[in-house]
Amino acid sequence: MTSAAPTSSAPVSPIPKPATSSSPAENLDKPQMPELATEFSGAGFEAFIEYWFEARNYAVATGDTEFMLEVSDSRCGYCLQHQQGIDEIYGAGGWVVGGELIPSDFGKNLQPTGGGAYHSFFTLRQTRGAAYSTDGELLEGYTFTPGDYDYEFFAFHEDATGWTAALIDLADGSK
């Protein structure tokens, strides 16, 4: 008598598949904000900035801007500009390959600026990337050139909700 192999009752998670020039990304892991990223401290501010860009990179890779916008002020021009570009690409059936933004080399200032925001300087690395149309054609005007840029990030902090991105921009004197 033969016995059947034991079966597992645990659900199998779909395997994440990054985007390529011929197909959009599938099953990417959603960004999870670390607890530290809500803390009012220099380390918390840095963790928040890193999370904001993880949420932005997820939005670029999937078209889902929800996580980025949840932690962005409704007046954040940089945030809205990225949302609009992402919505335009994905709304037309396109997708993006690469184009991640990775922050590093932080400088913190937890003293309030005008309007109650807090400020940090950092380096932002852009990876190579491009957007593609539904038929796999490169979308003109949506290529991302690698490079390192000096940026600044302003955010508000509320004890109940944590940080909210207010202004993200090239630092003065940056190319």
Side-chain angles (χ1 to χ4, degrees):
M1 181 185 314
T2 59
S3 62
T7 59
S8 171
S9 62
V12 177
S13 296
I15 297 172
K17 179 183 145 202
T20 67
S21 60
S22 59
S23 66
E26 295 177 14
N27 307 315
L28 298 183
D29 293 331
K30 294 178 177 163
Q32 300 293 317
M33 185 183 316
E35 185 67 30
L36 178 61
T38 63
E39 182 181 292
F40 182 74
S41 67
F45 192 25
E46 184 176 318
F48 173 74
I49 294 169
E50 289 173 338
Y51 172 76
W52 192 94
F53 282 101
E54 287 174 17
R56 179 264 178 207
N57 292 340
Y58 177 80
V60 167
T62 65
D64 181 357
T65 58
E66 175 186 358
F67 299 99
M68 179 182 74
L69 294 177
E70 283 178 349
V71 293
S72 300
D73 186 83
S74 63
R75 298 164 293 181
C76 175
Y78 184 90
C79 308
L80 295 172
Q81 180 183 28
H82 281 251
Q83 176 204 9
Q84 290 167 350
I86 292 164
D87 288 350
E88 185 174 303
I89 293 166
Y90 284 87
W95 65 90
V96 177
V97 176
E100 291 87 9
L101 295 175
I102 304 158
S104 64
D105 301 327
F106 294 90
K108 296 166 219 54
N109 176 1
L110 288 182
Q111 298 302 313
T113 62
Y118 298 85
H119 179 254
S120 180
F121 286 102
F122 61 98
T123 299
L124 193 58
R125 170 160 289 164
Q126 169 78 65
T127 67
R128 183 175 311 283
Y132 294 87
S133 67
T134 55
D135 58 3
E137 296 294 320
L138 191 64
L139 289 176
E140 189 175 324
Y142 286 103
T143 57
F144 308 100
T145 305
D148 290 347
Y149 307 94
D150 294 329
Y151 263 77
E152 54 188 340
F153 197 109
F154 292 84
F156 300 111
H157 188 273
E158 297 284 335
D159 289 336
T161 58
W163 296 99
T164 303
L167 174 70
I168 306 166
D169 204 356
L170 281 168
D172 286 340
S174 189
K175 295 181 183 180

mmCIF file of all heavy atoms in Angstrom, residues 82-100:
data_model
loop_
_atom_site.group_PDB
_atom_site.id
_atom_site.type_symbol
_atom_site.label_atom_id
_atom_site.label_comp_id
_atom_site.label_asym_id
_atom_site.label_seq_id
_atom_site.Cartn_x
_atom_site.Cartn_y
_atom_site.Cartn_z
ATOM 1 N N HIS A 82 5.339 63.403 -9.041
ATOM 2 C CA HIS A 82 5.621 61.984 -9.230
ATOM 3 C C HIS A 82 4.324 61.191 -9.397
ATOM 4 O O HIS A 82 4.253 60.302 -10.249
ATOM 5 C CB HIS A 82 6.472 61.444 -8.073
ATOM 6 C CG HIS A 82 7.912 61.808 -8.230
ATOM 7 N ND1 HIS A 82 8.871 60.892 -8.546
ATOM 8 C CD2 HIS A 82 8.546 62.997 -8.158
ATOM 9 C CE1 HIS A 82 10.045 61.499 -8.654
ATOM 10 N NE2 HIS A 82 9.869 62.780 -8.420
ATOM 11 N N GLN A 83 3.316 61.507 -8.597
ATOM 12 C CA GLN A 83 2.026 60.827 -8.728
ATOM 13 C C GLN A 83 1.469 61.021 -10.139
ATOM 14 O O GLN A 83 1.012 60.061 -10.773
ATOM 15 C CB GLN A 83 1.027 61.332 -7.710
ATOM 16 C CG GLN A 83 -0.342 60.700 -7.900
ATOM 17 C CD GLN A 83 -1.481 61.519 -7.354
ATOM 18 O OE1 GLN A 83 -1.318 62.669 -6.949
ATOM 19 N NE2 GLN A 83 -2.666 60.930 -7.336
ATOM 20 N N GLN A 84 1.479 62.245 -10.636
ATOM 21 C CA GLN A 84 0.910 62.526 -11.954
ATOM 22 C C GLN A 84 1.653 61.780 -13.058
ATOM 23 O O GLN A 84 1.036 61.224 -13.967
ATOM 24 C CB GLN A 84 0.904 64.028 -12.215
ATOM 25 C CG GLN A 84 -0.096 64.753 -11.344
ATOM 26 C CD GLN A 84 0.080 66.267 -11.355
ATOM 27 O OE1 GLN A 84 1.064 66.800 -11.869
ATOM 28 N NE2 GLN A 84 -0.878 66.966 -10.766
ATOM 29 N N GLY A 85 2.990 61.760 -12.999
ATOM 30 C CA GLY A 85 3.766 61.037 -14.004
ATOM 31 C C GLY A 85 3.484 59.543 -13.974
ATOM 32 O O GLY A 85 3.312 58.909 -15.018
ATOM 33 N N ILE A 86 3.413 58.984 -12.766
ATOM 34 C CA ILE A 86 3.121 57.559 -12.609
ATOM 35 C C ILE A 86 1.718 57.252 -13.126
ATOM 36 O O ILE A 86 1.515 56.294 -13.879
ATOM 37 C CB ILE A 86 3.291 57.143 -11.132
ATOM 38 C CG1 ILE A 86 4.776 57.226 -10.732
ATOM 39 C CG2 ILE A 86 2.723 55.754 -10.882
ATOM 40 C CD1 ILE A 86 5.025 57.226 -9.238
ATOM 41 N N ASP A 87 0.742 58.075 -12.727
ATOM 42 C CA ASP A 87 -0.635 57.873 -13.185
ATOM 43 C C ASP A 87 -0.738 57.960 -14.704
ATOM 44 O O ASP A 87 -1.488 57.201 -15.328
ATOM 45 C CB ASP A 87 -1.578 58.892 -12.539
ATOM 46 C CG ASP A 87 -1.827 58.614 -11.069
ATOM 47 O OD1 ASP A 87 -1.432 57.538 -10.566
ATOM 48 O OD2 ASP A 87 -2.417 59.500 -10.404
ATOM 49 N N GLU A 88 0.005 58.877 -15.313
ATOM 50 C CA GLU A 88 -0.036 59.036 -16.770
ATOM 51 C C GLU A 88 0.489 57.779 -17.472
ATOM 52 O O GLU A 88 -0.133 57.277 -18.411
ATOM 53 C CB GLU A 88 0.816 60.249 -17.166
ATOM 54 C CG GLU A 88 0.757 60.598 -18.629
ATOM 55 C CD GLU A 88 1.512 61.886 -18.922
ATOM 56 O OE1 GLU A 88 1.182 62.930 -18.323
ATOM 57 O OE2 GLU A 88 2.447 61.824 -19.744
ATOM 58 N N ILE A 89 1.602 57.262 -16.990
ATOM 59 C CA ILE A 89 2.206 56.069 -17.608
ATOM 60 C C ILE A 89 1.296 54.855 -17.444
ATOM 61 O O ILE A 89 0.942 54.185 -18.414
ATOM 62 C CB ILE A 89 3.592 55.793 -17.004
ATOM 63 C CG1 ILE A 89 4.572 56.904 -17.394
ATOM 64 C CG2 ILE A 89 4.111 54.423 -17.450
ATOM 65 C CD1 ILE A 89 5.851 56.911 -16.582
ATOM 66 N N TYR A 90 0.907 54.589 -16.190
ATOM 67 C CA TYR A 90 0.121 53.379 -15.924
ATOM 68 C C TYR A 90 -1.326 53.514 -16.397
ATOM 69 O O TYR A 90 -1.935 52.523 -16.793
ATOM 70 C CB TYR A 90 0.199 53.007 -14.441
ATOM 71 C CG TYR A 90 1.523 52.368 -14.093
ATOM 72 C CD1 TYR A 90 2.622 53.140 -13.735
ATOM 73 C CD2 TYR A 90 1.689 50.993 -14.159
ATOM 74 C CE1 TYR A 90 3.848 52.554 -13.445
ATOM 75 C CE2 TYR A 90 2.909 50.391 -13.870
ATOM 76 C CZ TYR A 90 3.980 51.185 -13.513
ATOM 77 O OH TYR A 90 5.193 50.600 -13.228
ATOM 78 N N GLY A 91 -1.861 54.735 -16.398
ATOM 79 C CA GLY A 91 -3.220 54.954 -16.881
ATOM 80 C C GLY A 91 -3.360 54.652 -18.360
ATOM 81 O O GLY A 91 -4.435 54.296 -18.841
ATOM 82 N N ALA A 92 -2.247 54.773 -19.102
ATOM 83 C CA ALA A 92 -2.246 54.470 -20.536
ATOM 84 C C ALA A 92 -1.828 53.022 -20.801
ATOM 85 O O ALA A 92 -1.596 52.644 -21.945
ATOM 86 C CB ALA A 92 -1.309 55.434 -21.258
ATOM 87 N N GLY A 93 -1.706 52.217 -19.731
ATOM 88 C CA GLY A 93 -1.342 50.816 -19.894
ATOM 89 C C GLY A 93 0.150 50.551 -19.933
ATOM 90 O O GLY A 93 0.574 49.425 -20.188
ATOM 91 N N GLY A 94 0.962 51.579 -19.670
ATOM 92 C CA GLY A 94 2.413 51.408 -19.696
ATOM 93 C C GLY A 94 2.955 50.943 -18.362
ATOM 94 O O GLY A 94 2.206 50.645 -17.429
ATOM 95 N N TRP A 95 4.278 50.896 -18.263
ATOM 96 C CA TRP A 95 4.964 50.498 -17.035
ATOM 97 C C TRP A 95 6.372 51.063 -17.049
ATOM 98 O O TRP A 95 6.842 51.587 -18.054
ATOM 99 C CB TRP A 95 4.979 48.984 -16.877
ATOM 100 C CG TRP A 95 5.776 48.261 -17.917
ATOM 101 C CD1 TRP A 95 7.110 47.939 -17.866
ATOM 102 C CD2 TRP A 95 5.312 47.784 -19.175
ATOM 103 N NE1 TRP A 95 7.489 47.297 -19.011
ATOM 104 C CE2 TRP A 95 6.397 47.182 -19.826
ATOM 105 C CE3 TRP A 95 4.067 47.801 -19.828
ATOM 106 C CZ2 TRP A 95 6.299 46.611 -21.089
ATOM 107 C CZ3 TRP A 95 3.962 47.226 -21.073
ATOM 108 C CH2 TRP A 95 5.068 46.637 -21.699
ATOM 109 N N VAL A 96 7.055 50.941 -15.913
ATOM 110 C CA VAL A 96 8.409 51.471 -15.759
ATOM 111 C C VAL A 96 9.356 50.344 -15.357
ATOM 112 O O VAL A 96 9.021 49.500 -14.535
ATOM 113 C CB VAL A 96 8.449 52.591 -14.694
ATOM 114 C CG1 VAL A 96 9.876 53.094 -14.471
ATOM 115 C CG2 VAL A 96 7.532 53.745 -15.089
ATOM 116 N N VAL A 97 10.540 50.380 -15.931
ATOM 117 C CA VAL A 97 11.630 49.482 -15.562
ATOM 118 C C VAL A 97 12.707 50.339 -14.922
ATOM 119 O O VAL A 97 13.139 51.336 -15.504
ATOM 120 C CB VAL A 97 12.225 48.770 -16.803
ATOM 121 C CG1 VAL A 97 13.426 47.925 -16.414
ATOM 122 C CG2 VAL A 97 11.171 47.944 -17.503
ATOM 123 N N GLY A 98 13.132 49.986 -13.704
ATOM 124 C CA GLY A 98 14.201 50.725 -13.025
ATOM 125 C C GLY A 98 13.734 52.090 -12.571
ATOM 126 O O GLY A 98 12.570 52.303 -12.250
ATOM 127 N N GLY A 99 14.669 53.039 -12.552
ATOM 128 C CA GLY A 99 14.353 54.405 -12.166
ATOM 129 C C GLY A 99 14.223 54.619 -10.665
ATOM 130 O O GLY A 99 13.612 55.590 -10.233
ATOM 131 N N GLU A 100 14.798 53.719 -9.857
ATOM 132 C CA GLU A 100 14.696 53.871 -8.409
ATOM 133 C C GLU A 100 15.473 55.091 -7.937
ATOM 134 O O GLU A 100 16.477 55.478 -8.526
ATOM 135 C CB GLU A 100 15.241 52.628 -7.685
ATOM 136 C CG GLU A 100 14.413 51.388 -7.843
ATOM 137 C CD GLU A 100 14.766 50.588 -9.082
ATOM 138 O OE1 GLU A 100 15.772 50.902 -9.753
ATOM 139 O OE2 GLU A 100 14.019 49.643 -9.402
#
